[in-house]
Amino acid sequence: MNFSKICISAATKSSFNRNSTLKIDASVLDTILQKCQNLKHLNQVHCQMIVSGLINHTFAASRLLKFSTDSQFVPLDYSRWILGQIQTPNGFIWNTLMRAYLQSSPRSTIVLYKSMLEKNVDPDNHTYPILVQASSIRLSELEGREIHNHVLKMGFDLDAYVQNTLIHMYAVCGSLNDARKLFNESLALDLVTWNSILAAYVRIGDVEEARSIFYQMPNRNTIASNSMISLLGSVGCVSEARKLFDEMPQKDMVSWSALISSYKQNDMLEEAWALFVQMHAKGIMVDEVVIVTVLSACEGLSATKEGQLIHGLTIKNGVESYVNLQNALIDMYSSCGDIFAARRIFDAIQNIDQISWNSMIFGYLKSGSIEDAQRLFDSMPVKDIVSWSTMISGYAQHNQFSETLSLFHEMQLNGIRPDETTLVSVISACTHLAALDQGKWVHAYIQKNGLKINVILGTTLIDMYMKFGCVESALEVFDGVEEKGVSTWNALIGGLAMNGLVKDSLEKFSLMKRCGVVPNEITFVGVLGACRHAGLVDEGCQHFDSMVQIHNIKPNVKHYGCMVDLLGRAGLLKEAEDLIQSMPMLPDIATWGALLGACGKYGDTEMGERVGRRLIELQPDHDGFHVLLSNMYASKGKWNDVIEIRGMMKQHGVVKIPGCSLIEANGVVHEFLAGDKAHPRIKEIDRMLEEMAKRLKMEGYAPETNVVALDIDEEEKESTLYRHSEKLAIAFGLISTNPPAPIRIMKNLRICGDCHMAAKAISRVYGREIVVRDRHRFHHFKDGSCSCMDYW
């Protein structure tokens, strides 16, 4: 017997026919409907009801429509068609269909309400909560107010259910004053009303008002307490959240989860883990959300063993297959260094989502497996902005800056719009590669596309321009950043100091304090750096003291290193050595190196030898200390000592890092090593070097051959000096760039005295501005002088 005949038989037995006008057996109709397994079955029942006239029975029609809206296999349009077949649908029938449309199409709910009014069907106290909820979902305050006016007109404003939905609607739409007004005017405050207004204040994070409402509640249920725990945790009041948790007479899984999340949000990871252990010991059922939170805590603690226990629990509870949980396991294992376990989880996921791919790529990058991350990235079926940003940031963080820019260009070709995180990585790569033109292009892209320059992006741009010597551009970016964080000020103060604008740097520091921005440790590194670049000993000492006495910042090894360098550059070598001896921590290599450099500058061979040999003992593989000590001996003509140091370098396998200079021309970055002869335009460069030598000698320039730490004749020394990397880069800049564009060079080592003197002369003879950034600071050469005032 087919389904249609079963329906007809059942209808006949229950006397469902055209003459049935008295009583309808609901259980029989429900039995018929429950036999419907698909839309075809339902349609057969519907047709039988039309043929028999049963569709005109309001009760029978309402049962049909209710079954239709509750069945997943029935489209809402079909249910709406059923409504059209009913001659006199009552308010219950209209409410049933409006409720069905609420989540999938809240706008249709409002349309149905208008049709309901047009057909002169009176709404009831169940109608308006549905409509108000539709306005809440759509965040349509105007629509909600119109519904509120209908509520007042129809006299349902005293209904508690209607009032509660209105309070919720005004709250989610941001009109908290209207929500509170309704709450205050309510004549019958039930528990739902209290919870509604409490939820409104919790949602906006108003702790004081939420506290006031919570402690006024005549009956505080578990839902209200859970809301307060979550709010208190989100604003850092964890102790208060714990006290409230302990005082709760009844706790559910959400209560435990809320407090665990509070601990996690406030980096109290050990407490989060301990509470989870307690929760599990009490036999409280844990869900996916709790486990993901605890796994995140294990990730932060690098607690592999605990994470493995959680993994076992997920298998025991049967929730291991949840993709969100599997993604959290990938993150946990990756952060704990077990990338192979992370990959096993990834390979076991049946329905891999985008987060799974991105999490695994991030895991590979975090573990340093760049090639594995690239292979996985290339195999992704779909790449979103997070995928591209993760891979680009990964390249930048692992100093693969060329790959960073290459992948960014590929991203552009694929039509993916970069976000702020991506652009920060790209700008950083441009900075490291001396690719100013590309950095400017990224800045222009940001402006053209109307992207907001936030604190991080603004700071990165300022840092880039400062490190290219483009001070004016950096200042323009700084002025355009609306919200300036301490990092933004630090980039400006340190950048100005590095570019020799010491007075401006210290003035910006004063302005920073006047603006109410509290300086931090990094700020004072920049301030003390400004003082050392200009030899401001007294002012540097004052700032060092104020850091401790006024700002309560404990000096670290970098601050002491700046002070040692400041004193050493000023020739106060004994004071610098005494400061090192008084440091509350062990001096680092850089601090001793600063003193050694000062000894070389002022010819204190005795102290220099003592410091240099100590440094070589501390770090025998460091080439810089060997070279500094060797140069010091060479400047005094102590060639036997030079040979001894060179022998020690050979013995320890120490290789002197060659001088390297980068220069960008027409968007391409060119690299020159000391003595380089491999550049495609080397013949042109050599001719320019010869021309430079002739013109400079005519201007009275004489090479400082004493800086060459080799026992060779003067002619060879001069030849060696002329092939220093920065001179090669300058020669290339003269033949490949046009004035008035400055010749911008980045050098990996400190510029030598001869190159510094030559660059000043070249800037005057050729009328070109030359900007050289060495490992310590900027040198802006113009018209025969340098911004450092020969103090570097």
Side-chain angles (χ1 to χ4, degrees), residues 228-229 232-233 237-246 259 262:
M228 281 302 298
I229 291 171
L232 292 169
C237 301
V238 188
S239 298
E240 187 179 350
R242 180 60 194 249
K243 183 174 182 294
L244 180 57
F245 174 84
D246 292 337
L259 187 56
S262 297

Side-chain angles (χ1 to χ4, degrees), residues 58 103 135 172 201 224 233 326 345 412 451 466 487 504 513 533 566-567 633 668 706 725 727:
T58 303
Q103 294 300 327
S135 300
V172 299
Y201 286 113
Q326 289 170 321
I345 299 292
Q412 293 287 99
L451 296 175
M466 284 298 187
S487 61
D504 295 322
K513 292 186 290 184
H533 285 316
L566 171 62
L567 295 170
Y633 286 135
V668 179
N706 64 310
S725 65
K727 288 194 181 78

Side-chain angles (χ1 to χ4, degrees), residues 563-579:
M563 290 302 297
V564 169
D565 195 27
L566 171 62
L567 295 170
R569 286 171 184 266
L572 304 172
L573 303 182
K574 182 66 170 61
E575 290 81 351
E577 188 175 23
D578 290 343
L579 182 60

Side-chain angles (χ1 to χ4, degrees), residues 753-770:
D754 179 72
C755 287
H756 190 271
M757 185 171 63
K760 288 196 298 181
I762 293 169
S763 70
R764 182 182 68 253
V765 171
Y766 286 89
R768 295 294 299 273
E769 181 181 357
I770 302 170

Side-chain angles (χ1 to χ4, degrees), residues 487-502:
S487 61
T488 316
W489 286 93
N490 289 347
L492 184 70
I493 291 168
L496 289 169
M498 186 169 59
N499 278 277
L501 300 171
V502 174

